[in-house]
Amino acid sequence: MLVRTVPVTAFQQNARILIDTESATAVIVDPGGDVAELLSALALGLPGGRSLTVSAVALTHAHLDHAGGVAQLLKALAQQGARPELLGHRADKPLRESIERQAVMFGLSAAEFQNAPEPD
């Protein structure tokens, strides 16, 4: 297993990319934002040039700094191939539905952060 840590957003929250080096699959945990940086980290692939397939995006919880980039990331990954599964807890629904408001509360642009969809 390989773990890549990508600090994202003004909060510098650590998004993690958990990589199974045998199957070349990855799970992205808490993609709070800065989706372009996350996609760049994925594009690094594995040593030897093997590319990665993202099987899931997982949320530990749905605060802005952990879930603010989910919608944009899922859209970008779906354009590259199959949309990965979104994992999260149903109880976080109010937080997932208020990400844009959370951004405004912190003086951030709501255009950069989107409400997260329901988990699969």
Side-chain angles (χ1 to χ4, degrees):
M1 172 163 285
L2 176 64
V3 178
R4 289 193 182 135
T5 300
V6 182
V8 295
T9 76
F11 298 105
Q12 290 296 286
Q13 180 271 333
N14 289 323
R16 309 265 192 223
I17 303 173
L18 310 177
I19 302 167
D20 179 338
T21 55
E22 290 183 24
S23 67
T25 58
V27 173
I28 301 173
V29 180
D30 292 338
D34 295 332
V35 170
E37 291 181 36
L38 293 169
L39 293 173
S40 292
L42 286 169
L44 294 172
L46 290 170
R50 289 175 62 198
S51 61
L52 296 172
T53 300
V54 178
S55 61
V57 173
L59 299 176
T60 59
H61 63 283
H63 286 146
L64 167 67
D65 58 328
H66 289 252
V70 170
Q72 185 182 0
L73 179 63
L74 290 174
K75 182 178 178 180
L77 292 171
Q79 291 173 346
Q80 295 177 1
R83 178 192 177 276
E85 184 177 18
L86 177 59
L87 307 173
H89 198 281
R90 282 174 274 182
D92 278 344
K93 183 176 182 167
L95 289 172
R96 282 191 303 276
E97 293 176 342
S98 69
I99 289 173
E100 293 165 10
R101 282 182 300 192
Q102 292 176 49
V104 171
M105 287 173 32
F106 284 100
L108 303 170
S109 169
E112 292 181 39
F113 302 93
Q114 298 163 355
N115 293 341
E118 284 298 300
D120 298 308

